[in-house]
Amino acid sequence: RALLLLGPQRPWQRLPRHLCSSSSSSCGAADSPPAGRRCRHRLVPDAPTWRNVADSELPPPTAIDSDTIALLERLSLVQFDTADTVRVVAEAVRFADELRLVHAGPEVEPMTSLPEAWGWRCPLRADTPAEQPRTAVLSNAAETEEHYFVAPPGNIAAKDSGRERLDRLAEGAKSKASRSSRS
Amino acid sequence: CESQLQSRMATPVGLSHGGGRSIINRIAQAISSGAITPDLLRSSAVAACRSSVGSSLNAFVSLAEPQHQPPVANRGHGSPLFGLPIAVKDNFCTAGCDTPGLAGSATCGSPTLAENFLPSYTATSVRRLLDEGAWLLGKTNLDPFGMGSGCSDGLHGPVRNPWRSSLCSSSDAPDSATNFYIAGGSSGGSAAAVASGLAVGALASDTGGSSRIPAAFCGIVGLKPTYGRVSRHGLVPLVNALDCVSIMANTVADACLLLNAMQGPDENDSTCCPVRPEPVGWSDKLAAGLKIGVPAEFSTPGMSASVLDAWSSAVTHLESDLGLTCLPVSLPHTPLSIKAYSVLCCAEVASNMARYDGIEFGLRVRDSENSVESLYTANRLAGFNSVIRSRVLAGNYFLLRRNYKAYYEQARKVWCLIKEDFDRVFQSVDLLVCPAAVTAAPTYRDFVQADNRYRTSTMDLCTQSVNLAGLPSIVLPTGLEEGTGLPLAVQVIGPAMAEARVAALAASLESWARFPLLAESSECSLLRLLD
């Protein structure tokens, strides 16, 4: 399988020096443990084997703007509520951006589920209704009326929360992002 | 995996493990010899949980009331689990009718399900333990809906690591409101209960490391089976594609006893393995010619020297003392795994959390707007903390039409590559030995300096790729950190359905390590009854 990267290196395929050698001792190698400590087993890398991916290698960071906030809140029926939540979501997106550096061709099938990949023949239940007493089904509802669940009218859009609130969230997140620099 | 699935009839639970420490068997022997009765075990367990020392851990969110129970039934008599008090993480549905003395619940550590939710059924995994005669001591504390690595965010407050707390006789740590060590998450309550000896076994769930991180931090055994080996029916889903019912116990043998009682097909879970697996058991002698892989990429950013030392000691022992072949192996896509996991997790969370609207069950607020959209939004704002909300929103971001291919489909492709890395490695070695947690347990004060998202992105580095590949893993404590005296652990990973092979090596490391279990010395431990 060809897996090409933007840039000259495949960072995660580079093994530390002392794993490539056939000698057993790694004492004296550049990444050995501090002086005075026992040497570690030659197969345990003393330093992290991950390469730091520089921000400049990644696509430009996406800002969670007011329109995106409005769209996500409408789709999720969940509110950001504070600028800090916007910051966290922006950081989650940034964290995932490294995936976009991977050029996985059409021969790499997107996984759906492990049982499917393992070829398990998992039985599905027959499509016949299972009887449940109505009282059991209704028993956990906070509000019921004559054996019905009670919901408000559905054909009313959520009141427009106002551009001001959305802009405030987006701006607040931007200023938090410039202060914190974790990636 | 296909070749390892057997269809022979299962042998009974309690299969001898040819040695190995089993606390469950010690208790079972005391019961069958009449030295203690199940009633005494129950009342002592509850009393210990309610004691000031036991309750200071905040491990339980609900406890059984033994005085309201009928006398011990004969169901399960003869099984080593008979009369055994077990704890279950509070994201498993348990119905009051099945668990006398304990009201039905599955709060999931969240206001959303803390009211208006009494499960009408009991999770299959719990049901099977109860059928063997085990007794539900209580439901344990967790991060809300299983989201977190510290068990610090739940409705019921943070869980304290029993190590370096007032439970530990050699402690010198001031036990203030914030100066304690975290138990790890999201199954921190189960871990603290088992480590302190309040419970002898506990159920947990593991989606990205949620049973193995707390096991490592609390110095106990955490067993995450192969995906689908244990039915998820009744486990409130976080990520359906990755969730595993997992087990916490003080010894490898005990974890396997519990696994054997639960594993196998379930018509109520169509992602469960369709063929009944063999009960897990092993002989003392490891298979000849066993090859151990040491994956280089598991030396991760932020890994402490002490964790590296523990890893190194274990590998040195296997090679120099046992003469096993230890080989360097590479799982090249490991650094991408945590990123793929973050996308897959958020996307499924966005979907799985959609059901919590407050109409059929769960938290419902008074809403003045009187529209579905505003009521749902208000219910979910009141019920979901910022961690849950940020994952739902991030998940829906990744699932937007304009982002779907670049993020979600890409994550699914990387998932494929991660699984293939493991498949390839297991063609040349039989097992992997590597760290579980990147450091020993941090203090609560240090842990909360950064947000939940940052923490899970830096702490789950050695655990979530195992979930993506669906593989079995056992984490066991092998030593104590110099200076802090906190537990250090190693992780043993095997190919799909190779639990017996993983357990054999883990048990061997366990006898070598002779780790000083807190449950053997803690003042609230059930083992005191056996003295």
Side-chain angles (χ1 to χ4, degrees), chain A residues 12 37 40-41 97 102 118, chain B residues 2 309 312 332-333 407 410:
Chain A
W12 40 82
R37 298 194 67 107
R40 294 200 182 101
H41 190 279
D97 272 340
V102 178
W118 287 331
Chain B
E2 297 80 9
D309 288 342
S312 170
H333 298 94
Y407 290 98
Q410 190 74 333

Side-chain angles (χ1 to χ4, degrees), chain B residues 499-520:
Chain B
E499 273 79 343
R501 193 194 300 173
V502 175
L505 188 74
S508 169
L509 285 169
E510 179 182 63
S511 345
W512 158 73
R514 293 154 85 77
F515 181 80
L517 291 172
L518 201 53
E520 297 274 10

Side-chain angles (χ1 to χ4, degrees), chain B residues 278-334:
Chain B
E278 286 286 298
V280 175
W282 60 91
S283 67
D284 280 337
K285 203 157 164 22
L286 289 173
L290 204 63
K291 294 206 208 89
I292 309 296
V294 181
E297 293 83 1
F298 277 59
S299 177
T300 67
M303 187 162 282
S304 67
S306 53
V307 165
L308 289 168
D309 288 342
W311 184 13
S312 170
S313 299
V315 177
T316 302
H317 162 70
L318 294 174
E319 189 176 62
S320 311
D321 301 336
L322 298 187
L324 297 178
T325 305
C326 295
L327 299 168
V329 295
S330 175
L331 296 162
H333 298 94
T334 299

Side-chain angles (χ1 to χ4, degrees), chain B residues 388-463:
Chain B
I388 300 172
R389 282 184 283 111
S390 64
R391 289 203 197 187
V392 168
L393 293 160
N396 278 328
Y397 180 89
F398 295 133
L399 292 170
L400 289 174
R401 248 191 294 258
R402 66 190 194 229
N403 295 328
Y404 189 93
K405 201 166 143 89
Y407 290 98
Y408 185 62
E409 203 172 273
Q410 190 74 333
R412 288 170 60 204
K413 288 192 169 205
V414 172
W415 181 8
C416 181
L417 296 172
I418 298 290
K419 178 181 173 298
E420 287 180 352
D421 277 0
F422 280 100
D423 289 343
R424 191 177 43 248
V425 145
F426 282 124
Q427 280 165 11
S428 58
V429 298
D430 302 304
L431 292 165
L432 302 177
V433 171
C434 56
V438 166
T439 63
T443 62
Y444 177 80
R445 204 176 275 161
D446 287 344
F447 183 77
V448 297
Q449 297 300 317
D451 63 62
N452 183 299
R453 188 211 69 85
Y454 177 76
R455 288 298 178 213
T456 53
S457 74
T458 52
M459 287 168 68
D460 291 348
L461 301 182
C462 297
T463 49

Side-chain angles (χ1 to χ4, degrees), chain B residues 143 147-151 182 184-186 213 217 447 455-456 459-460:
Chain B
D143 280 314
M147 305 191 209
S149 304
C151 206
I182 63 167
S186 57
I213 302 284
F217 283 175
F447 183 77
R455 288 298 178 213
T456 53
M459 287 168 68
D460 291 348

Side-chain angles (χ1 to χ4, degrees), chain B residues 84-110:
Chain B
L84 192 80
I86 51 149
V88 170
K89 189 175 177 183
D90 207 16
N91 59 352
F92 286 76
C93 290
T94 51
C97 55
D98 290 328
T99 58
L102 184 68
S105 77
T107 65
C108 296
S110 169

Side-chain angles (χ1 to χ4, degrees), chain B residues 45-262:
Chain B
V46 174
C49 292
R50 292 202 191 284
S51 71
S52 69
V53 143
S55 57
S56 70
L57 297 177
N58 202 22
F60 286 90
V61 306
S62 59
L63 274 178
E65 315 253 333
Q67 66 272 20
H68 295 142
Q69 293 186 62
V72 173
N74 271 333
R75 184 183 57 183
H77 207 97
S79 158
L81 302 187
F82 176 66
L84 192 80
I86 51 149
V88 170
K89 189 175 177 183
D90 207 16
N91 59 352
F92 286 76
C93 290
T94 51
C97 55
D98 290 328
T99 58
L102 184 68
S105 77
T107 65
C108 296
S110 169
T112 295
L113 292 181
E115 54 187 272
N116 303 328
F117 185 58
L118 294 182
S120 57
Y121 67 99
T122 295
T124 299
S125 48
V126 179
R127 162 98 270 121
R128 289 177 177 177
L129 292 178
L130 298 177
D131 285 343
E132 289 288 331
W135 174 69
L136 188 49
L137 169 58
K139 308 298 286 298
T140 57
N141 202 350
L142 68 165
D143 280 314
F145 287 99
M147 305 191 209
S149 304
C151 206
S152 55
D153 285 342
L155 173 65
H156 305 100
V159 175
R160 284 171 189 244
N161 193 323
W163 285 85
R164 299 293 304 278
S165 75
S166 52
L167 241 75
C168 189
S169 53
S170 60
S171 162
D172 56 2
D175 219 2
S176 77
T178 54
N179 193 20
F180 55 90
Y181 289 89
I182 63 167
S186 57
S187 313
S190 285
V194 168
S196 59
L198 291 173
V200 165
L203 289 192
S205 62
D206 191 314
T207 306
S210 289
S211 74
R212 289 164 288 153
I213 302 284
F217 283 175
C218 293
I220 57 171
V221 169
L223 191 167
K224 185 200 87 63
T226 306
Y227 179 83
R229 186 151 176 140
V230 179
S231 166
R232 290 182 301 110
H233 177 64
L235 170 63
V236 174
L238 174 62
V239 181
N240 286 288
L242 304 177
D243 289 349
C244 287
V245 171
S246 297
I247 296 143
M248 305 182 114
N250 277 300
T251 71
V252 177
D254 288 345
C256 294
L257 272 170
L258 292 166
L259 174 65
N260 288 342
M262 297 188 297

